[in-house]
Amino acid sequence: MKIKNGFVLRQVCGENVIVGEGLGAVNFGKLLALNETAAWLWKQALELGDFDVEKLSERLCEEYDVTAEQAQNDVAAILQQWQEVGVVEP
């Protein structure tokens, strides 16, 4: 999975949001607000380039005090949301 070109994480009024920039985001007419952990995962996904639930879950466990099972559940839910709004691609 990869983050689609044209989507970036920005700070807007103190909130972490994913916004669309450029032609790749023409149909993305909204902001996607992220909590601190989701924004951290977005940055990890960018760093990895090609990511999946397992890779991001491993990083989440290294950074936060969370079980592997909880990390996988949380990451899977976030990635599903990102897929539904179209900011990531297979």
Side-chain angles (χ1 to χ4, degrees):
M1 188 173 302
K2 294 181 181 185
I3 292 175
K4 282 187 179 178
N5 287 334
F7 293 101
V8 295
L9 179 66
R10 297 274 189 246
Q11 282 267 322
V12 177
C13 298
E15 297 290 324
N16 293 305
V17 294
I18 295 172
V19 296
E21 295 183 334
L23 293 177
V26 167
N27 292 327
F28 189 78
K30 59 186 171 192
L31 301 176
L32 178 61
L34 302 181
N35 65 23
E36 181 181 325
T37 306
W40 182 86
L41 284 170
W42 181 269
K43 292 174 188 175
Q44 298 305 303
L46 276 175
E47 186 177 303
L48 287 166
D50 186 25
F51 57 90
D52 58 20
V53 172
E54 284 188 20
K55 289 178 184 176
L56 288 178
S57 296
E58 287 174 11
R59 290 205 174 185
L60 190 62
C61 286
E62 292 170 3
E63 183 71 17
Y64 292 93
D65 184 22
V66 62
T67 66
E69 181 180 356
Q70 186 62 52
Q72 288 184 344
N73 290 338
D74 291 349
V75 168
I78 288 169
L79 292 183
Q80 181 178 349
Q81 290 174 353
W82 292 354
Q83 285 178 310
E84 288 173 3
V85 297
V87 296
V88 296
E89 58 191 1

